[in-house]
Amino acid sequence: TRALEQLYLLKALDNKGIITDLGRRMAEFPLEPAFARVLLMSKELACTREAISIISLLSVDSIFFTPQDKRDQATESKKKFASPLGDLITLLNVLHGYQDQNGNTQWCRQNFINKRNMKIVMDVQNQLIHLCDRIGISNTVSCGIDYDRLIRCLLSGFIRNTAILQPNNTYKTIIGNQAMMCNKKVEAVMYTELVLTSRPYMKYVTLVQTNWLQEMMSSSYSSNLES
């Protein structure tokens, strides 16, 4: 049921459960539906280069490492890349730094970047570039620093993973009204996955605007944004 719900929200299925034209295009990608939706939307929003980068960065568990004896240093180092827009843009900042340094081993060590995982990221990035070329999506189109476009693009794939700040400073998911933990206090957020601790905790949290959610949510769920 959740899988069908996700495909409906991604507009891969219509309200009768029949595959849409968009769904057929998504099926051409050997990727999770959310990522396929993001890549297709990236062509419309002209941010394919950045969309490919984010999907590649999400292909590994973490691009950071934290030695037990250098936790404070690692935390401080990560702040250099931190973006007020959220974790996904922070990851993108790291990738840009890594590429600027041509993957320099010393730079990775100084900044507590997992070089092995970054190599995996670069391999996945190259595969996605070839994939986009094959289906006619230019991989060189970039949004530059217009990250609103990129976040809206990502939201098209992760629309199910969104939550709204409540008056008691907790978050509830738009779909399912599940209570969530998050260390950010903004109106609405998008996340890539849940980490189960004593309570569900959102991972890779990025800030979104509620009007973007209203634009992308189906009418069946848009009322949740008003509550």
Side-chain angles (χ1 to χ4, degrees):
T1 300
R2 285 195 297 270
L4 288 170
E5 183 181 64
Q6 181 192 29
L7 293 174
Y8 173 63
L9 286 169
L10 295 176
K11 298 181 171 51
L13 299 179
D14 64 18
N15 57 11
K16 295 181 180 179
I18 298 172
I19 191 169
T20 62
D21 289 341
L22 175 61
R24 290 189 181 89
R25 285 158 55 206
M26 287 169 59
E28 296 178 28
F29 292 86
L31 297 169
E32 291 289 329
F35 292 149
R37 181 74 171 96
V38 167
L39 284 180
L40 287 171
M41 180 60 80
S42 76
K43 182 177 182 179
E44 181 178 328
L45 294 178
C47 58
T48 301
R49 181 185 296 175
E50 289 76 19
I52 287 174
S53 294
I54 293 293
I55 294 172
S56 304
L57 287 157
L58 293 176
S59 68
V60 296
D61 289 335
S62 178
I63 58 172
F64 298 102
F65 71 92
T66 306
Q68 290 282 357
D69 59 339
K70 295 183 178 179
R71 285 186 174 276
D72 291 343
Q73 291 172 256
T75 300
E76 283 300 311
S77 179
K78 187 176 179 180
K79 289 179 181 179
K80 292 188 294 186
F81 304 102
S83 167
L85 297 175
D87 299 329
L88 294 182
I89 307 304
T90 295
L91 294 182
L92 191 62
N93 289 340
V94 174
L95 179 60
H96 289 162
Y98 179 86
Q99 291 173 320
D100 288 344
Q101 296 293 323
N102 295 314
N104 181 272
T105 299
Q106 184 63 22
W107 181 88
C108 290
R109 189 177 297 116
Q110 290 173 345
N111 289 283
F112 300 92
I113 305 301
N114 187 321
K115 184 168 183 176
R116 179 182 298 177
N117 280 357
M118 288 303 298
K119 286 183 176 179
I120 295 173
V121 168
M122 299 305 293
D123 288 342
V124 173
Q125 187 179 58
N126 288 333
Q127 292 174 34
L128 291 176
I129 286 171
H130 292 313
L131 176 62
C132 286
D133 286 344
R134 182 169 60 81
I135 64 173
I137 298 177
S138 173
N139 68 83
T140 61
V141 176
S142 169
C143 64
I145 59 172
D146 184 2
Y147 292 135
D148 279 3
R149 264 195 286 162
L150 174 60
I151 294 171
R152 286 174 57 208
C153 176
L154 295 168
L155 187 60
S156 71
F158 290 97
I159 188 65
R160 197 180 193 282
N161 295 7
T162 49
I164 300 292
L165 184 65
Q166 303 300 302
N168 63 358
N169 284 330
T170 63
Y171 282 88
K172 278 191 177 179
T173 56
I174 292 175
I175 299 170
N177 287 321
Q178 185 176 3
M180 297 289 174
M181 297 292 289
C182 178
N183 57 12
K184 302 183 188 302
K185 293 295 177 279
V186 294
E187 187 177 21
V189 295
M190 168 185 69
Y191 59 94
T192 58
E193 60 181 294
L194 293 178
V195 178
L196 297 178
T197 56
S198 56
R199 293 180 66 182
Y201 194 88
M202 293 180 277
K203 184 176 181 181
Y204 292 137
V205 176
T206 299
L207 284 59
V208 299
Q209 296 180 21
T210 52
N211 62 304
W212 298 345
L213 297 176
Q214 290 166 338
E215 288 171 7
M216 293 187 183
M217 291 290 284
S218 69
S219 57
S220 304
Y221 296 101
S222 59
S223 59
N224 288 4
L225 295 170
E226 309 298 331
S227 59

